[in-house]
Amino acid sequence: MTASDKKTLKRFYKAATVAEQDNGSFQIHLDGRAVKTPAGRPLAVPTCALAEAIAEEWNAQGETIAPHSLFYTRLANSAADAVAPREGEVVGDIASFAASDLLCYRAPFPVELAAQQAEVWDPVLAFIRDTYGATFEVTTGVGHIAQPPASIDAIRNALTAFGPFRLAALHMMTTLTGSALLALAHVDGFLDTSASWAAAHIDDAWQAAQWGEDYEAAERLKHRFDDFRNASRFFALA
């Protein structure tokens, strides 16, 4: 079977194990048979630590397999089948987020919200500037502001060093937060997982404080935070 099957299946294997390959990659085996990606190739990941995390989620399955709980497997499938064949496009997509990054668009009012954004986001932009030599302009409102081409090129060049598995995780973190710069600052260790998520959702927290929390919206955010946290660990393991 492939690891992306969405049907509820009875567990058909006793144990998941890790097998190192001659090329230095690591496959995940179910009773000695390689897990395959949706494209039909054996799933091979770049580090033993990531392979062990994938094997662990397969070993944690009960009598039936719950595909939604195979997060690392699904993201590794995406890296192998969707990112690896088109790394340049994925790098370009992340760089496009940086070109219109969340951190660069500030609330014109109320002043308290704008002050919170500046307090949290300005240090991230300073970190990006110091780390990558990339300066980003800030504006108020939602009108587009053009960023220096050299800054976008600096971010793009940095992304090319990550490889498909880290790119897949970084792309997920970028889309979940709306900020490539925040995702980069996070994987570079500037902000931990919780601080990064809070930084991406200052507006949501402000609205909840003013008008009360919407239960369904809060639940959606919790699920998205779980995905962000798992993507962060995936990146670190890869």
Side-chain angles (χ1 to χ4, degrees):
M1 73 173 269
T2 66
S4 67
D5 288 344
K6 295 184 178 180
K7 296 179 181 179
T8 299
L9 298 176
K10 289 185 177 180
R11 180 167 173 163
F12 57 90
Y13 58 94
K14 293 182 179 179
T17 56
V18 172
E20 185 172 4
Q21 305 303 296
D22 291 340
N23 64 0
S25 66
F26 297 84
Q27 289 183 2
I28 299 84
H29 288 183
L30 305 179
D31 293 344
R33 299 179 62 185
V35 171
K36 292 186 178 181
T37 71
R41 59 174 63 92
L43 178 59
V45 299
T47 68
C48 183
L50 179 56
E52 288 175 347
I54 295 172
E56 180 181 346
E57 63 185 5
W58 283 93
N59 283 325
Q61 300 299 306
E63 293 183 359
T64 59
I65 298 171
H68 70 274
S69 68
L70 297 171
F71 179 93
Y72 299 114
T73 305
R74 290 186 284 109
L75 190 51
N77 283 339
S78 177
D81 285 350
V83 179
R86 54 185 193 94
E87 283 189 50
E89 292 179 40
V90 177
V91 165
D93 193 40
I94 298 173
S96 72
F97 271 87
S100 56
D101 206 86
L102 168 72
L103 305 191
C104 299
Y105 294 85
R106 309 296 173 84
F109 58 83
V111 294
E112 294 85 359
L113 173 57
Q116 284 187 22
Q117 292 174 336
E119 180 182 2
V120 176
W121 293 350
D122 285 355
V124 177
L125 294 181
F127 174 81
I128 293 294
R129 180 196 64 219
D130 295 342
T131 303
Y132 297 100
T135 300
F136 285 83
E137 303 294 333
V138 173
T139 188
T140 56
V142 296
H144 179 71
I145 181 173
Q147 298 296 346
S151 295
I152 304 304
D153 287 344
I155 297 301
R156 183 182 291 106
N157 291 338
L159 294 172
T160 60
F162 284 146
F165 286 85
R166 285 190 163 187
L167 276 177
L170 188 70
H171 189 275
M172 175 173 282
M173 287 185 277
T174 296
T175 57
L176 286 169
T177 60
S179 174
L181 303 182
L182 191 56
L184 273 174
H186 168 61
V187 300
D188 283 333
F190 184 70
L191 294 174
D192 66 19
T193 306
S194 295
S196 300
W197 190 252
H201 294 87
I202 290 176
D203 290 14
D204 295 310
W206 174 267
Q207 294 294 333
Q210 302 307 306
W211 311 109
E213 186 175 72
D214 179 274
Y215 175 78
E216 292 185 358
E219 286 299 302
R220 286 194 297 271
L221 279 178
K222 288 178 183 178
H223 290 304
R224 288 167 66 83
F225 175 60
D226 286 341
D227 286 343
F228 181 85
R229 182 174 53 200
N230 285 328
S232 174
R233 181 169 182 248
F234 185 103
F235 184 97
L237 293 174

